[in-house]
Amino acid sequence: MKHLHVKRLVLLSAIATLAGLAMMVAAIVAPRPIILVLAMSVGQGIGIISLALYLLAIGLDLQTGGAVYAGLADEEPPAAEEPPPAGPTAQS
C-alpha cells in the first residue's frame, strides 16, 4: 500500500515542480513587477512544497526496506556461461 502512496507523492511533486517552473518562465517571458513578485514568492513556495513531497516519498520508500521488490529477489539469477576450454596455442 505504501508503494501506491510513494507513486502519488512523486506525481504530485512533479506536477508542483512544473507549476513552479511555469511561473518562473512566465516571469522571464513577461517581466512585469507583479509577475516577478508572484514568481519569486509563490513559485518558490511551490518549489519548496515539491521538494518536501519528493523527500517524503523517498523516506516512505526507504521505510519499506524493499519489501515491495522482495518478489524479484526470489528469482534465481541466470546461469553464467562457462568459458570455452583453453586449447593449445600456436606460438611462432
Side-chain angles (χ1 to χ4, degrees):
M1 190 64 172
K2 285 185 180 179
H3 186 64
L4 183 62
H5 293 300
V6 170
K7 283 186 173 183
R8 286 183 182 167
L9 284 173
V10 171
L11 178 66
L12 286 174
S13 173
I15 291 171
T17 300
L18 290 174
L21 283 173
M23 293 188 78
M24 297 296 174
V25 168
I28 292 172
V29 171
R32 295 190 177 99
I34 190 70
I35 296 175
L36 287 171
V37 170
L38 286 174
M40 295 303 288
S41 58
V42 177
Q44 182 180 0
I46 291 173
I48 290 171
I49 289 171
S50 172
L51 177 64
L53 288 173
Y54 188 69
L55 292 176
L56 179 63
I58 291 173
L60 286 175
D61 195 39
L62 288 174
Q63 198 175 32
T64 61
V68 174
Y69 310 106
L72 298 176
D74 294 339
E75 297 176 7
E76 292 183 22
E81 294 182 21
E82 293 182 25
T89 58
Q91 296 180 355
S92 303

